[in-house]
Amino acid sequence: MPEDILFEFERRMDRTEIADYLRTVADSLERGDPISLEAGGESVTMTPPSRPTFEIKAERETSSSAPEGPGELGLEFELEWEEGEDRSDDGELTID
């Protein structure tokens, strides 16, 4: 399925700043409120359904020219849902 980027933001920040943003998103999710993103004149508002798909990915990316060399580590959190659909799946996740 082709991807249409509705909003994108990337910047180095202190961990405390990142935690504040994540906390704001978590609070909105818990209340069922829309999530509004705005930066650099761009904005988008989305309202996740009550049971979106939640994906966490921990990854290490390496250079194709030096696959055994140092890589870039990443931790991605993603919520996905079909437009207009509120589906429910079962499963468990533990984060420590």
Side-chain angles (χ1 to χ4, degrees):
M1 180 183 314
E3 185 175 81
D4 183 17
I5 305 295
L6 302 176
F7 181 88
E8 188 169 34
F9 175 81
E10 184 174 336
R11 184 180 89 197
R12 290 181 84 76
M13 295 182 202
D14 292 330
R15 290 183 297 196
T16 56
E17 283 182 282
I18 296 167
D20 285 342
Y21 284 116
L22 292 173
R23 210 171 280 111
T24 299
V25 170
D27 290 345
S28 293
L29 280 171
E30 192 169 49
R31 289 189 306 263
D33 292 345
I35 298 170
S36 295
L37 309 170
E38 186 176 331
E42 293 183 46
S43 67
V44 67
T45 299
M46 303 181 96
T47 305
S50 61
R51 293 186 55 87
T53 299
F54 180 51
E55 178 182 344
I56 297 178
K57 187 187 303 183
E59 60 187 9
R60 179 177 179 261
E61 295 179 23
T62 57
S63 168
S64 58
S65 62
E68 298 303 319
E72 180 178 276
L73 298 173
L75 183 60
E76 297 179 8
F77 298 91
E78 185 172 349
L79 296 175
E80 290 183 323
W81 63 92
E82 297 291 329
E83 288 184 278
E85 184 180 337
D86 190 6
R87 71 176 207 204
S88 58
D89 291 322
D90 292 329
E92 281 193 39
L93 169 69
T94 302
I95 301 177
D96 294 320

